[in-house]
Amino acid sequence: MIHRAGSGHPGGALSLVEILAELYARRMRFDPEHPDWPDRDRLILSKGHGVPALYAALAWYGYFPKEELLTLRRTDGRLEGHPDRCRVPGIEASTGSLGQGLSIGIGHALSGRLDQRTYRTFVILGDGEIQEGQVWEAALFASAHRLDNLTAFIDCNGFQLDDAVEKILSIEPVAEKWESFGWAVREIDGHSLGEIEEAIRWADGVRGKPSVIVARTVKGKGVSFMEGNNDFHGRAPTDEEFEHAMKELGAHPEREAFL
Amino acid sequence: MRDIFLEEVYRIMKREDIFFLSDDFGSPVLDQLRRDFPERFVNVGIAEQNLINLAAGLALEGWTVYAYGIAAFLSMRAYEQVRVNLAMLSQWRDINVNLVAVGAGVSYDVSGPSHHCLEDLGLMRMLPNMTVFSPSDGILCEEIADYTAKASGPKYIRLDGKALPNLYKGIGAEELKCGFSEIRRGEKLCIVATGYMTHRALAACESLKSEIIDVGVIDVFLLKPFDEGKLFETLERYDGIVTLEEGFVNKGGLDGLISSLLEKNGSRKSLAALGFKDAYTFDVGNREYLHRLNQLDEESILRTIKSMLD
């Protein structure tokens, strides 16, 4: 997708693949035929640049044809480089401007509680993203209002655009910060399906406070030369790199055929 | 003004699904609202960015939302949130979010420039899909409250921080959508004003009566969208126009609205824009004092009018 588009964010998309896979395959209630079904679980990808991974999940479950994935960032297409709630079915919030998704999720969660609906709102944030002040306004609010139908994931892949998060503006200790803001916190390996599944089950059981799952991940996970290599934060692989990556992933190197 | 607007919202809340969010800002009516609708009233704390996105989330779930705060902070602290989550989103989705901004212009006079709000008209007008109200009295406020509860889209309602006397006896829904009212008919010259400055314009015109100069006053209470044809038609009857606002001039506020309307229609009328120049006012003083410093007092207005008539 990103190779075909010629631009995009492979690193931050690959780090959240397992989280999305676990949510869509095993946990979330949704109906691609009825994207606005009132009882669906809400998923907001607050780190909007990771959207290729979300598009893949949405296409896999039939929100739109898989072939459309190759129109990412293409003129006349609708798959923008960041999520667009207005035109792409299955997208809950238009993000891309970082730090804003958790607050939107709070709106959904508040409404769900008042309407006595049973849906859960999931919000996925990046680790660099939580440098934004608005995230902490939202964190305060969610715990003050005991929104236990709200679960956040923090995809801690360790990097932001310019360099390692730790070098630029450290957010550690992440778990303790959220705990002190009144959230129930669980720290996991964000690439272990078993740990993700267990953490989601744990979050479903938390009462009286919002829950956050701090997922330790590897940026560019799954492709050896992208793993932990921040050169792939915001650039597409070359033809050679693409074929190499496809081989490593066990996919057919022919671009069209891998679909 | 604020209280009249809120009282009307309170009445509407009794029958409709409205969520009211406050940016840690109070009023006696708000206490009543908080008491009677504890589930649908939330003081979000001092957190404008969270406030706007929370409103967007609620609106996507079908709620009509009022977000209430001090104008300078509501309009500027979370401008990008307003842009992305209200202006952009509403181009494709029906959402009803109403930003109730209290403290227009220098109505919080002695609070200083951090609390003055002189940029909001231009900023909000610039956003596609945004509706911008700037009422001059309580009658308009009531009608605007009714309208905003029913009409979809993001709206910015600029309210004065002080109570203003009524100018209107009543106003119909159609008149409201038209966006303006020629509340005083004149001969050669008219003042186009908004909000508090409409009162100032009327007072200036009254004092000219003794000199047998008849100056018209047009009150613009809806800056976007409004009936452009009708406003131009009304302006056409005058030879000269003075715009008068408690906001920066040459920054896309009321003066920009009028000058571009005239330009679009190929009109070359003489036009003077009165408002705050390109500088903040740090001097401490009441509204009258701040107006005098910025040549917005009655005497200065009269001077401009007379020079245009010469």
Side-chain angles (χ1 to χ4, degrees):
Chain A
M1 231 187 296
I2 296 172
H3 170 255
R4 170 62 70 93
S7 69
H9 300 84
L14 288 170
S15 62
L16 54 82
V17 166
E18 286 85 356
I19 295 169
L20 287 176
E22 194 58 44
L23 282 170
Y24 277 93
R26 271 203 271 257
R27 168 58 183 84
M28 283 181 14
R29 288 171 304 172
F30 57 93
D31 178 2
E33 297 295 315
H34 303 98
D36 286 332
W37 174 42
D39 288 316
R40 73 194 183 281
D41 291 312
R42 275 70 165 159
L43 173 83
I44 292 172
L45 183 62
S46 191
K47 47 167 287 186
H49 55 284
V51 76
L54 180 55
Y55 287 152
L58 294 175
W60 180 265
Y61 284 102
Y63 280 94
F64 50 81
K66 287 178 193 159
E67 293 71 35
E68 195 176 338
L69 290 174
L70 292 179
T71 68
L72 173 71
R73 291 175 175 244
R74 212 161 75 187
T75 308
D76 287 342
R78 59 177 172 171
L79 301 185
E80 291 174 12
H82 295 91
D84 170 22
R85 190 199 203 275
C86 300
R87 296 196 303 163
V88 183
I91 299 282
E92 292 287 352
S94 300
T95 54
S97 167
L98 291 172
Q100 300 200 32
L102 190 56
S103 300
I104 302 172
I106 286 173
H108 290 285
L110 253 187
S111 179
R113 184 167 71 185
L114 198 53
D115 288 341
Q116 294 179 325
R117 294 196 181 274
T118 56
Y119 66 77
R120 177 168 289 275
T121 302
F122 295 98
V123 182
I124 303 176
L125 300 104
D127 49 358
E129 180 182 14
I130 67 173
Q131 291 165 348
E132 288 277 6
Q134 183 177 357
V135 171
W136 301 100
E137 293 182 4
L140 280 173
F141 186 97
S143 71
H145 290 266
R146 303 172 191 282
L147 292 175
D148 55 15
N149 57 353
L150 176 71
T151 297
F153 280 89
I154 303 173
D155 175 6
C156 288
N157 63 29
F159 287 94
Q160 55 194 99
L161 189 150
D162 197 30
D163 206 340
V165 176
E166 198 52 31
K167 276 199 211 157
I168 291 178
L169 183 62
S170 176
I171 51 156
E172 298 293 349
V174 185
E176 282 89 333
K177 282 195 175 72
W178 287 83
E179 210 159 356
S180 74
F181 272 69
W183 289 57
V185 186
R186 179 65 62 101
E187 203 161 347
I188 60 163
D189 170 355
H191 298 302
S192 157
L193 291 174
E195 284 191 33
I196 300 168
E197 186 189 10
E198 199 279 323
I200 293 172
R201 229 190 343 254
W202 160 82
D204 280 331
V206 171
R207 293 284 170 270
K209 48 165 83 171
S211 46
V212 58
I213 299 166
V214 176
R216 298 291 173 183
T217 59
V218 174
K219 198 160 180 171
K221 176 73 178 176
V223 179
S224 60
F225 58 88
M226 288 189 183
E227 287 191 1
N229 177 4
N230 209 37
D231 182 31
F232 288 97
H233 167 86
R235 83 157 171 95
T238 62
D239 288 350
E240 206 174 290
E241 287 166 342
F242 170 71
E243 295 197 2
H244 187 166
M246 287 291 109
K247 259 184 219 151
E248 279 192 18
L249 293 166
H252 200 290
E254 298 275 325
R255 287 167 217 161
E256 315 293 342
F258 86 91
L259 285 170
Chain B
M1 269 177 97
R2 173 193 77 177
D3 290 341
I4 295 168
F5 188 90
L6 294 178
E7 273 165 17
E8 190 62 15
V9 172
Y10 171 74
R11 278 195 285 275
I12 303 168
M13 268 181 99
K14 285 184 177 167
R15 50 173 207 268
E16 283 172 39
D17 282 346
I18 287 174
F19 219 108
F20 197 103
L21 303 173
S22 164
D23 179 27
D24 198 38
F25 196 45
S27 99
V29 187
L30 221 54
D31 294 335
Q32 204 178 348
L33 204 143
R34 190 194 320 246
R35 199 185 56 230
D36 292 353
F37 309 108
E39 288 192 313
R40 292 189 278 142
F41 173 91
V42 179
N43 179 340
V44 302
I46 310 160
E48 293 77 16
Q49 304 175 68
N50 191 41
L51 168 84
I52 299 297
N53 286 27
L54 215 159
L58 286 167
L60 284 169
E61 295 292 349
W63 296 92
T64 290
V65 185
Y66 284 85
Y68 171 68
I70 294 179
F73 312 136
L74 198 58
S75 63
M76 287 177 270
R77 182 60 168 263
Y79 189 66
E80 198 229 349
Q81 279 77 1
V82 172
R83 168 182 174 260
V84 176
N85 299 286
L86 305 183
M88 282 188 200
L89 184 61
S90 64
Q91 190 155 318
W92 291 83
R93 294 271 167 163
D94 274 345
I95 52 165
N96 188 357
V97 177
N98 303 291
L99 305 179
V100 185
V102 181
V106 292
S107 52
Y108 289 137
D109 42 19
V110 290
S111 294
S114 67
H115 282 57
H116 298 162
C117 191
L118 304 169
E119 302 90 341
D120 57 343
L121 289 179
L123 286 170
M124 289 298 156
R125 272 189 71 220
M126 188 188 290
L127 294 173
N129 310 309
M130 185 65 82
T131 295
V132 184
F133 285 103
S134 170
S136 55
D137 84 347
I139 304 288
L140 281 169
C141 282
E142 252 180 42
E143 193 60 35
I144 291 169
D146 288 342
Y147 174 83
T148 52
K150 286 184 291 224
S152 179
K155 305 173 210 80
Y156 180 77
I157 303 128
R158 186 196 212 225
L159 299 179
D160 207 89
K162 308 262 168 30
L164 300 179
N166 279 346
L167 294 175
Y168 294 84
K169 289 206 172 61
I171 189 134
E174 281 311 305
E175 273 176 285
L176 187 75
K177 274 201 249 177
C178 183
F180 70 95
S181 176
E182 186 180 22
I183 50 179
R184 188 179 202 280
R185 239 179 134 139
E187 278 171 18
K188 288 189 179 148
L189 205 74
C190 85
I191 303 176
V192 182
T194 188
Y196 177 82
M197 296 316 271
T198 298
H199 296 263
R200 172 127 295 176
L202 282 171
C205 292
E206 276 307 302
S207 68
L208 283 171
K209 246 167 53 182
S210 58
E211 298 175 47
I212 329 181
I213 301 174
D214 221 355
V215 175
V217 176
I218 295 173
D219 178 37
V220 178
F221 43 75
L222 173 58
L223 282 85
K224 185 181 177 178
F226 63 95
D227 189 334
E228 293 191 13
K230 222 173 212 167
L231 180 54
F232 181 69
E233 215 173 90
T234 311
L235 295 175
E236 265 295 85
R237 285 205 313 273
Y238 294 98
D239 299 331
I241 293 155
V242 180
T243 61
L244 179 60
E245 66 200 294
E246 245 188 356
F248 289 125
V249 288
N250 290 321
K251 309 255 193 228
L254 179 67
D255 65 325
L257 180 152
I258 297 298
S259 65
S260 62
L261 182 67
L262 293 178
E263 198 185 355
K264 206 154 102 183
N265 287 281
S267 168
R268 285 159 185 262
K269 281 180 203 313
S270 61
L271 186 63
L274 296 183
F276 286 78
K277 305 291 182 295
D278 196 23
Y280 290 100
T281 305
F282 292 91
D283 306 70
V284 182
N286 63 20
R287 205 172 202 172
E288 190 57 43
Y289 178 77
L290 298 176
H291 279 191
R292 205 160 48 242
L293 288 178
N294 290 279
Q295 290 86 50
L296 291 171
D297 56 314
E298 192 173 309
E299 208 174 298
S300 306
I301 295 168
L302 293 177
R303 218 171 19 247
T304 301
I305 289 174
K306 284 177 182 163
S307 73
M308 283 179 83
L309 287 171
D310 282 343

